[in-house]
Amino acid sequence: MALMLGIDTGGTYTDAVLLRDETDVVAKAKSLTTRHDLALGVGDAIARVMDESGAAASDIGLVSLSTTLATNALVEGQGGRVALIFIGFDEKDLNRQGLSDALKGDPALRLSGGHTHAGNAVAPLDTGALRDWLATYGGQISGFAVAGAFATRNPAHELEAQAIIAELTGKPVSCSHHLSSKLNGPKRAMTAVLNARLIGMIDHLISATEGLLDTLGVTAPLMVVRGDGALISAEMARGRPIETILSGPAASIVGAQWLTGEGNALVSDIGGTTTDVALLRDGKPTIDPNGAQVGGFRTMVEAVAMRTSGLGGDSEVHAISVGLGDGLFLGPQRVIPIALTAHNAPAMVHDALDRQLAADVNTDSDGRFVVPVLRVDPQVAGLSEREAALLARISDRSYPLTGLLNSRMEIASLRRLVERGLVQMSAITPTDASHVLGGMAEWDTDAATKALRLFARSRGKLGDPMAASAEALAEAILRQLTDQTSTVLLEATFDDDDGFTGDPMALARHELLLKGIAGHSGLIAADIRLNIPVVGLGASAHAYYPAVGERLRTQMILPEHAEIANALGAIVGQISIRESGIVTVPAKAQYRAHLPDGGVDFGTENAALECLETHLTEAAKAGALAAGAEDVRISVERTFQRTGEEGVDTLLEADVIVTASGRPRIAIG
């Protein structure tokens, strides 16, 4: 039986696993994710499992990839510079559905054109204005998003704009109607903007993986996990990287069920950047009907119903004011742990920390470092002159933040470089705390201890040190991680418990809830516990999650192979291609099936539905077969909106979804 290779690329680690007969883990490995060159981390993880197993390249019949890179990028506000081509919309539409927030100051060009609800053109597309704008600004953009009014009814203007952009720039283009068949133009536009921003990142990952497999002589097909847990071809993932948001979390849920056999449980996966929580019901993850929500954006991408929080082992530790005293808060930004930065640049980190510890008082920038990630053309990255100059100054190696910036104006420049994913910050994290307390020893414990000593002596608002020692601070950091993780789990539980109607965030922080979790017994006795088991996943789950189970007084399941659950989930899923369309009624006895090439009118409802369903079935089946599915199964879902005016049952609109699914074909070497 051929082996199956699963790969998961996260913000901190890249995991690989070899599975035989879909039941037996043959080998597994972890390697650091190398953001400056993803091929290094992926290649190291693959090499380790191949060496451990003794497998030959010809033994591998399937390769599947899951990733949290897209999710992490949205949580951290990172990605390339994009432009939105906004066809047939008003200026005020840019401020709807989070569209302006998604653009983050990147340009938007409004053009005349667009269509009506029935699919008829409102005005011709202003191609001259588009060509003029591209001639001036096209070279400064890494990817384009195109959104036209009612493009799901008639995509002609989006397709025409896409062709012009491709002709004049050669840059990738994301059309909104390719990403969703639903109405709500600004929300579709926002989804297309995020998709365009992620294309370079996901293409880099897929290309790196394909290149490594080719070098190794692995000829098996490469699949990618979609946000709903299904598998899609690498080529489809390249064009629609937005569909890989929540890819890693979706794979972890599939992996959790495979590892534990649990039918009903909360699945909590802690990585370096995020904690992802989802509910497993009857052995299956639930799909969010409102679209995936990540990093504050509610997209139109179908994905698992997941709560993603910027809380992980590499979350930055912040000092905050709590009442009359001081406290800690973790995240949402991921930083590189001091222990890891010192492992890679020991002399620089130790010299800086020793100088800072020798000083009488701390500065705001002490204990923080800047690490370059990517070298890019400043114009394409959309950098200002000041940002480009700062990047050039720090692109050769890591630097202490103290003394690096020449003016306060460069603080904003550095923040912009971080948002673009060109540099990363390094500061203390729960990973450093674990090194100090002996729970981890992979990297430089001495540097972590120095950094925590430096943070511990910083003064709060009452003038007292944050902690008495590095060890005391480390314990406080891990207690805070337990508290915040417990809160995330409670929010998810309240959100899914039909017995509560209040805001899950408020309920999870309510005084009565917190007293009940603590088992308060006074004049009032309060006893509250989580009434569902939790499956803890992630490399650090065994270290951090027992305390979470104790706090919530519930069963904490920490399965064997929990640290590579995402990579396992990547290879036990199914290919699933979904195509959707709509039938509208623009006039009496006129039924319009909206096809990719435009609307087709029929005299009866059944004829229009039959035409649409046939087209969707052919497209979905062809997509599944092209992706390598075997024994393809077809399912059809119809949703109708009708009116019963004057006693006549009349169709207003019909939505049709066709899904073609099957297990991927295993290549036999």
Side-chain angles (χ1 to χ4, degrees):
M1 182 70 180
L3 298 174
M4 295 180 289
L5 172 63
I7 305 165
D8 176 69
T9 299
T12 303
Y13 287 108
T14 293
D15 304 331
V17 61
L18 276 176
L19 195 65
R20 179 187 291 116
D21 298 336
E22 301 187 22
T23 58
D24 181 24
V25 175
V26 176
K28 60 183 179 180
K30 301 183 80 68
S31 180
L32 283 171
T33 296
T34 46
R35 291 200 180 191
H36 65 286
D37 185 354
L38 293 171
L40 297 178
V42 174
D44 186 55
I46 293 175
R48 290 186 185 191
V49 293
M50 297 294 283
D51 290 344
E52 181 182 334
S53 65
S58 59
D59 294 333
I60 298 177
L62 175 69
V63 183
S64 190
L65 174 69
S66 71
T67 180
T68 60
L69 291 183
T71 307
N72 295 347
L74 296 187
V75 170
E76 298 181 84
Q78 297 180 353
R81 188 174 192 238
V82 302
L84 169 64
I85 309 303
F86 210 34
I87 304 169
F89 290 98
D90 296 329
E91 181 73 28
K92 63 179 180 296
D93 291 321
L94 287 169
N95 297 315
R96 293 175 175 169
Q97 299 294 330
L99 180 53
S100 60
D101 292 334
L103 280 167
K104 297 175 68 68
D106 287 349
L109 173 65
R110 288 194 305 112
L111 296 175
S112 61
H115 293 80
T116 66
H117 182 275
N120 300 316
V122 173
L125 175 65
D126 190 348
T127 58
L130 176 59
R131 289 180 178 275
D132 291 344
W133 191 90
L134 291 173
T136 303
Y137 301 105
Q140 304 173 19
I141 304 299
S142 64
F144 293 84
V146 179
F150 289 106
T152 55
R153 297 294 189 264
N154 189 334
H157 287 176
E158 283 196 1
L159 294 173
E160 188 175 0
Q162 178 187 32
I164 293 172
I165 295 168
E167 172 197 341
L168 297 183
T169 71
K171 303 289 180 64
V173 184
S174 299
C175 290
S176 76
H177 76 278
H178 286 154
L179 302 173
S180 176
S181 63
K182 298 178 181 178
L183 297 178
N184 194 331
K187 190 173 181 180
R188 271 201 335 278
M190 179 267 289
T191 303
V193 165
L194 298 179
N195 189 71
R197 202 181 296 287
L198 296 171
I199 281 180
M201 178 185 302
I202 298 302
D203 181 70
H204 180 200
L205 172 62
I206 292 174
S207 296
T209 305
E210 288 179 333
L212 287 165
L213 296 174
D214 185 62
T215 300
L216 292 171
V218 177
T219 59
L222 175 63
M223 310 300 296
V224 179
V225 180
R226 201 167 56 194
D228 61 359
L231 304 181
I232 56 175
S233 68
E235 197 58 36
M236 180 178 289
R238 266 197 174 94
R240 303 184 187 182
I242 191 71
E243 294 197 3
T244 71
I245 62 171
L246 301 182
S247 163
S252 75
I253 299 172
V254 176
Q257 206 285 325
W258 188 88
L259 286 170
T260 66
E262 289 289 329
N264 297 285
L266 274 182
V267 178
S268 184
D269 184 1
I270 182 170
T273 307
T274 62
T275 292
D276 306 309
V277 182
L279 181 64
L280 201 59
R281 286 187 190 272
D282 300 322
K284 297 179 181 179
T286 53
I287 303 300
D288 192 335
N290 298 315
Q293 181 167 0
V294 180
F297 299 109
R298 173 69 74 176
T299 70
M300 298 187 85
V301 177
E302 289 192 353
V304 292
M306 176 80 64
R307 293 187 78 90
T308 297
S309 173
L311 175 67
D314 297 344
S315 291
E316 184 173 6
V317 178
H318 301 276
I320 61 170
S321 296
V322 180
L324 297 177
D326 302 296
L328 300 172
F329 188 81
L330 310 181
Q333 286 291 113
R334 175 191 180 271
V335 294
I336 301 175
I338 295 294
L340 177 54
T341 301
H343 177 78
N344 294 327
M348 182 275 296
V349 172
H350 281 280
D351 287 349
L353 292 175
D354 288 342
R355 286 196 308 272
Q356 292 163 9
L357 284 168
D360 292 332
V361 295
N362 290 5
T363 69
D364 291 341
S365 58
D366 284 354
R368 308 185 76 207
F369 299 84
V370 180
V371 181
V373 178
L374 297 174
R375 294 186 180 183
V376 298
D377 182 338
Q379 185 183 41
V380 174
L383 302 182
S384 68
E385 185 176 337
R386 179 177 285 109
E387 292 161 358
L390 177 59
L391 180 62
R393 201 162 76 232
I394 61 178
S395 62
D396 58 333
R397 62 181 177 87
S398 301
Y399 287 87
L401 180 57
T402 300
L404 175 65
L405 304 181
N406 295 328
S407 68
R408 295 188 65 84
M409 296 180 69
E410 287 193 335
I411 295 175
S413 299
L414 179 60
R415 185 182 304 116
R416 183 71 164 169
L417 297 181
V418 172
E419 290 175 350
R420 288 299 187 203
L422 303 178
V423 302
Q424 287 182 276
M425 300 302 299
S426 176
I428 66 167
T429 67
T431 296
D432 293 301
S434 293
H435 275 78
V436 169
L437 296 176
M440 295 180 67
E442 280 85 345
W443 304 315
D444 194 326
T445 298
D446 288 342
T449 302
K450 290 178 182 179
L452 263 72
R453 281 176 52 203
L454 189 64
F455 192 102
R457 77 176 193 180
S458 60
R459 303 284 176 172
K461 66 179 182 180
L462 297 180
D464 298 324
M466 289 297 300
S469 65
E471 290 74 16
L473 177 61
E475 291 173 352
I477 290 171
L478 296 191
R479 284 197 301 272
Q480 184 63 28
L481 179 63
T482 298
D483 289 347
Q484 287 184 228
T485 302
S486 299
T487 300
V488 170
L489 288 170
L490 288 167
E491 287 176 3
T493 307
F494 279 122
D495 198 23
D496 286 314
D497 192 325
D498 295 335
F500 295 89
T501 58
D503 177 17
M505 294 182 66
L507 290 169
R509 293 163 175 79
H510 195 282
E511 181 181 10
L512 181 59
L513 180 282
L514 298 178
K515 292 291 187 183
I517 288 291
H520 175 80
S521 180
L523 296 179
I524 293 177
D527 184 4
I528 301 176
R529 66 189 66 211
L530 210 59
N531 195 32
I532 188 171
V534 177
V535 178
L537 303 177
S540 58
H542 283 82
Y544 299 145
Y545 275 12
V548 175
E550 291 177 9
R551 176 170 173 76
L552 298 177
R553 295 192 289 164
T554 191
Q555 180 187 10
M556 179 63 69
I557 303 170
L558 301 171
E560 185 184 9
H561 309 308
E563 75 281 9
I564 47 96
N566 291 29
L568 278 170
I571 46 177
V572 297
Q574 293 205 6
I575 293 171
S576 180
I577 302 298
R578 185 182 297 106
E579 298 286 346
S580 60
I582 194 166
V583 171
T584 59
V585 187
K588 188 174 182 179
Q590 182 184 10
Y591 300 89
R592 180 168 295 171
H594 293 271
L595 305 180
D597 296 330
V600 180
D601 292 337
F602 295 88
T604 67
E605 173 185 329
N606 287 339
L609 286 169
E610 184 178 345
C611 171
L612 178 61
E613 188 174 317
T614 298
H615 171 82
L616 297 177
T617 299
E618 291 174 352
K621 186 174 182 179
L625 292 173
E630 290 185 317
D631 301 325
V632 174
R633 301 179 304 279
I634 301 293
S635 64
V636 180
E637 179 183 345
R638 291 180 173 184
T639 305
F640 298 95
Q641 296 181 41
R642 296 184 181 276
T643 179
E645 292 181 2
E646 299 179 359
V648 179
D649 183 22
T650 304
L651 178 70
L652 296 177
E653 194 169 278
D655 291 284
V656 180
I657 300 174
V658 177
T659 303
S661 57
R663 275 292 292 160
R665 186 181 305 112
I666 308 297
I668 305 298

